[in-house]
Amino acid sequence: GYVEGDFWGGNKHFRLRHAWVDFKFIHFGQDWSFFGDKDIWPNVLDWDGPPSGVWRRAPELKFYFDVAEHSRFDIGLGSPSAEVMYSSDIDSTVSAASQRMPDVIAAWKQTTSFGHIRATAIFRNLTYTSGTDIRSVPGYGATVSGLIKTSSVLPNTLQFQFVAGAGIGTYLASFGGYNFDAAPNAKGEIETVPTVGGWAAYEHYLSKKWHFNLVGGLSLFRTHEIAAYGIPGPGYTAVDSKISLDMLYGLVNLMFDPVPNLILGIEYNYGYKRSTHTGTITTPTAVVSSIDQSRPAHRISFGMFFDF
């Protein structure tokens, strides 16, 4: 078994992060969702990591089996939670309901002498209310991830993860996990939001004590056509319009290990977000077919890790 917590929640109270039990071929409790790959994580100071990272903690029940040498198959259920996001500006009669069906997840992992490769699939049943009706819409997705050792002497590694699907936004690290799984179309219906993303990280040891990391990633969200909504910020009215959201991420750091279990580092982060609205958009001066909003972000971090 394993239990882990912290006080990062911001309310000065203890927060439970992990609490799980592993027995024979059963894994039960709160852990990183096995829709992602908890065996890969870039060595970075950034708390969230790349925006397309599939790192979500949730209660789950997993059964795992060794089907061949160095090959493992997982299948189980994950807590769906009620994190389906809707905008009251689009349709105030639509809201998230108590999710009736758990997420169904399956995974396959092959371990080799140079690392591992892993593939997963997920099916979701997103439940929502529209007026007095309770309805649902399916969500689905898949990931491919891996870790490749690039040196037999130093622990240099290449790690990556790619994800695609619809209605799986809450599994991604973007916006702290509060992404758009689905959006109402102002007709009493809801449609899942297609999502594509990926990241790759390379760690290189210059010596046994000095090493650096390069990380790049992106997340892409695309909605269906929405009957009417207000564009955040300027407040323009968009009719029969679509929303595209692109997020880019880059990172480089340099780390120093003066003694075992102690890491000192300096890190530069770059982020870029662009939202595009395409359709019929009314501004104070004219009616236009599209509007782009974009913003870059930069950050320099200094940090220390100490394992004890």
Side-chain angles (χ1 to χ4, degrees), residues 12 97 112 129-130 169 191 223:
K12 300 181 180 180
T112 69
T129 61
S130 178
E191 297 184 41
T223 73

Side-chain angles (χ1 to χ4, degrees), residues 50-53 163 172 174 196-200 216-220 246-249:
S52 54
V163 58
L172 274 65
S174 316
V196 176
W199 64 269
L218 58 84
S219 295
L220 309 177
D246 304 335
M247 301 179 66
L248 303 179
Y249 177 94

Side-chain angles (χ1 to χ4, degrees), residues 15-286:
R15 179 181 67 163
L16 181 66
R17 285 169 52 88
H18 300 277
W20 50 260
V21 174
D22 204 69
F23 178 72
K24 294 186 181 297
F25 60 91
I26 301 173
H27 185 85
F28 176 75
Q30 178 160 303
D31 195 3
W32 295 113
S33 170
F34 69 104
F35 179 53
D37 188 346
K38 71 177 183 179
D39 293 328
I40 59 171
W41 177 267
N43 193 7
V44 298
L45 302 176
D46 183 14
W47 184 259
D48 288 324
S52 54
V54 184
W55 296 298
R56 173 187 172 185
R57 292 184 301 272
E60 63 184 23
L61 171 63
K62 179 178 72 174
F63 304 93
Y64 55 91
F65 310 94
D66 293 327
V67 294
E69 186 177 8
H70 307 303
S71 183
R72 172 163 290 186
F73 177 71
D74 301 339
I75 189 168
L77 306 174
S79 171
S81 73
E83 295 180 16
V84 184
M85 303 295 289
Y86 309 101
S87 171
S88 59
D89 294 335
I90 300 174
D91 190 342
S92 60
T93 66
V94 176
S95 62
S98 176
Q99 304 301 295
R100 298 178 171 182
M101 178 179 171
D103 296 346
V104 180
I105 307 171
W108 167 80
K109 178 180 179 181
Q110 181 68 43
T111 303
T112 69
S113 59
F114 62 81
H116 76 263
I117 185 83
R118 190 170 185 270
T120 71
I122 188 171
F123 176 80
R124 311 185 71 195
N125 187 66
L126 306 178
T127 305
Y128 66 98
T129 61
S130 178
T132 59
D133 297 333
I134 298 179
R135 304 177 184 177
S136 62
V137 63
Y140 52 88
T143 71
V144 176
S145 60
L147 182 148
I148 301 173
K149 301 174 184 178
T150 61
S151 173
S152 60
V153 179
L154 297 173
N156 300 337
T157 57
L158 173 65
Q159 302 169 81
F160 63 90
Q161 184 172 64
F162 303 99
V163 58
I168 59 170
T170 52
Y171 277 88
L172 274 65
S174 316
F175 306 116
Y178 294 98
N179 298 322
F180 298 102
D181 281 324
N185 58 16
K187 298 178 182 178
E189 302 172 348
I190 190 169
E191 297 184 41
T192 52
V193 175
T195 301
V196 176
W199 64 269
Y202 175 66
E203 182 169 23
H204 184 81
Y205 276 75
L206 302 169
S207 67
K208 291 184 178 181
K209 292 189 175 183
W210 289 94
H211 50 111
F212 68 86
N213 291 267
L214 298 173
V215 185
L218 58 84
S219 295
L220 309 177
F221 301 87
R222 302 287 184 266
T223 73
H224 53 86
E225 187 173 279
I226 300 173
Y229 64 94
I231 298 178
Y236 302 153
T237 300
V239 178
D240 297 331
S241 301
K242 300 179 180 180
I243 305 172
S244 301
L245 179 60
D246 304 335
M247 301 179 66
L248 303 179
Y249 177 94
L251 177 151
V252 60
N253 65 30
L254 178 65
M255 294 184 167
F256 174 59
D257 307 351
V259 294
N261 301 326
L262 176 63
I263 300 177
L264 306 176
I266 180 174
E267 182 172 279
Y268 169 73
N269 289 80
Y270 172 78
Y272 178 80
K273 181 174 71 173
R274 177 182 180 184
S275 59
T276 303
H277 306 265
T278 306
T280 303
I281 302 167
T282 302
T283 72
T285 57

